[in-house]
Amino acid sequence: MTDHELEPTAASSSRTVPCSSHAAGHAVHPTHVLLCDSGPDDVWAPVVVMGAVGDVLTVACGEELRRYRNHGAGRLLELVGTTGPDALLNERYDLLFLRPWPQDAAAVFSLQPADQPPHPCR
């Protein structure tokens, strides 16, 4: 692995990727957000967004580093840059809620574990 591969996603890669897939790591399905809101408290974990390389995002959950895929990682990092890295992760639905939520519906991101092959866009 080179040093270049460890650099965070550049802002130029944050352009919106047109995709209508609701698979993990793609567009957030509104029903999942509603289910998160009405679900139990024990499926929520405070996390800190550490950065991203390509579509792989790293978050710190306590002392554990976790890696997830999201094809909007550049946009996610831009939002983190303005609102801060603290977020909440719903571990049941793998949804990441950044600080502007609920005022900004675009502050929710669907995640897919990075060790799984990415789902194709539609």
Side-chain angles (χ1 to χ4, degrees):
M1 184 175 298
T2 67
D3 288 340
H4 179 67
E5 291 173 317
L6 296 174
E7 293 176 7
T9 301
S12 62
S13 67
S14 66
R15 63 183 176 269
T16 303
V17 177
C19 176
S20 61
S21 174
H22 285 107
H26 293 271
V28 175
H29 196 287
T31 302
H32 289 160
V33 174
L34 292 173
L35 290 169
C36 287
D37 191 40
S38 62
D41 290 340
D42 65 348
V43 297
W44 291 95
V47 297
V48 176
V49 177
M50 303 300 291
V53 175
D55 69 347
V56 177
L57 175 74
T58 301
V59 299
C61 184
E63 293 185 17
E64 177 186 7
L65 292 180
R66 299 181 186 180
R67 296 177 56 214
Y68 296 96
R69 291 186 190 282
N70 179 282
H71 75 88
R75 186 173 59 84
L76 189 154
L77 289 180
E78 283 180 2
L79 192 53
V80 165
T82 60
T83 64
D86 295 329
L88 288 174
L89 174 65
N90 184 288
E91 297 177 307
R92 177 176 284 171
Y93 294 102
D94 284 335
L95 292 182
L96 182 70
F97 290 77
L98 300 179
R99 284 186 189 176
W101 174 259
Q103 292 81 15
D104 183 359
V108 181
F109 294 84
S110 174
L111 304 178
Q112 176 190 14
D115 60 349
Q116 297 176 2
H119 299 287
C121 291
R122 286 195 261 155

